[in-house]
Amino acid sequence: MTSMATAVQDYARALALLSPDHYRVGPFTVRHNPGWELKYANYAIPDRDAEPTADEVAALVDAFGAHRRLPRLEFLPAWAPAVEPALIAAGFTVENRAPLLACGHEDLRPPKPVDGLSIGTPVTEAEFTEAARVQHHGFGGEGEPEPGATDWLRAAATGDGVAALAVLDGAPAGVGGCSAAIDGLSELAGLAVAARHRRRGVGAALSAWLTERAFAQGCRTVWLEPGDADVERVYAGIGYRRIGEKVNISLEPSGG
């Protein structure tokens, strides 16, 4: 595991510990979002070099159940090599092994301009609602977003992070955010582009805008997890490079 990958895992765990509704179960820190059931907003991270017992894994599963959330973890396997085998033994399955990408201030490259595109920080309640709706639908959701989605964007925009709403041809086109920096690191997350505006350069422009704003706020490196290989190529085009690999692993309900 590279030093940058280690720093990213340290950051993710520190951010989870700072989240107001986190809780601890054995050697795990659980990031819980009471207003947002999205699985990506609720997950556990093991302590470094954790060697959980079967009872501790069972207690973690029970805790997720008590909070009405899918038992799920995100971490770098080399951070705690004994954890994945313990989870597999308990019935967990690997969702995917996702690359981690990072971009330093000197690496960021400008994307191709998109005619008619404007990007800014949401300010009004209507803008936060529109941004959350784009994000919700971009992640495959139906209907209206949960309150937690709007809360996440508002916290990023009004706190020490960054939030952005892209508008193209007068319509909301994309959304994303960067979390507050810790030791010069920030995570770019929650980026989604409305279906009708995809493959027009919105994602690259929005990512570059968010990354640049994070740098302007004192961040040295921004990291992220791309959704798939096509998305990774978009990020590579503006200067992001692979630094490691993360495992996303969960326990589906019996019979699910």
Side-chain angles (χ1 to χ4, degrees), residues 108 119-122 152-153 156 161-165 174-179 186-192 203-217 219 222 235 238 240:
L108 183 63
I119 303 174
T121 302
W152 181 82
L153 289 164
V162 183
L165 173 63
V175 61
C178 285
S179 54
S186 176
E187 180 187 10
L188 194 161
L191 193 139
L206 186 56
S207 302
W209 189 94
L210 285 164
T211 304
E212 188 172 26
R213 289 296 291 265
F215 290 152
Q217 293 183 191
C219 181
V222 179
Y235 288 122
I238 62 171
Y240 278 83

Side-chain angles (χ1 to χ4, degrees), residues 51-118:
E51 297 182 351
T53 65
D55 286 345
E56 287 172 330
V57 173
L60 179 66
V61 171
D62 288 344
F64 270 102
H67 288 84
R68 303 179 66 85
R69 294 292 185 267
L70 175 74
R72 188 172 183 275
L73 295 89
E74 298 185 3
F75 63 99
L76 277 68
W79 169 265
V83 171
E84 186 178 340
L87 297 173
I88 295 295
F92 281 71
T93 56
V94 173
E95 296 175 355
N96 67 331
R97 298 187 186 277
L100 290 181
L101 311 182
C103 182
H105 191 282
E106 67 283 358
D107 301 318
L108 183 63
R109 299 199 296 266
K112 294 180 180 179
V114 180
D115 291 341
L117 179 69
S118 63

Side-chain angles (χ1 to χ4, degrees), residues 8-24:
V8 164
Q9 185 66 87
D10 277 329
Y11 172 92
R13 184 174 179 275
L15 197 66
L17 286 166
L18 289 172
S19 61
D21 295 288
H22 81 274
Y23 57 92
R24 292 275 300 171

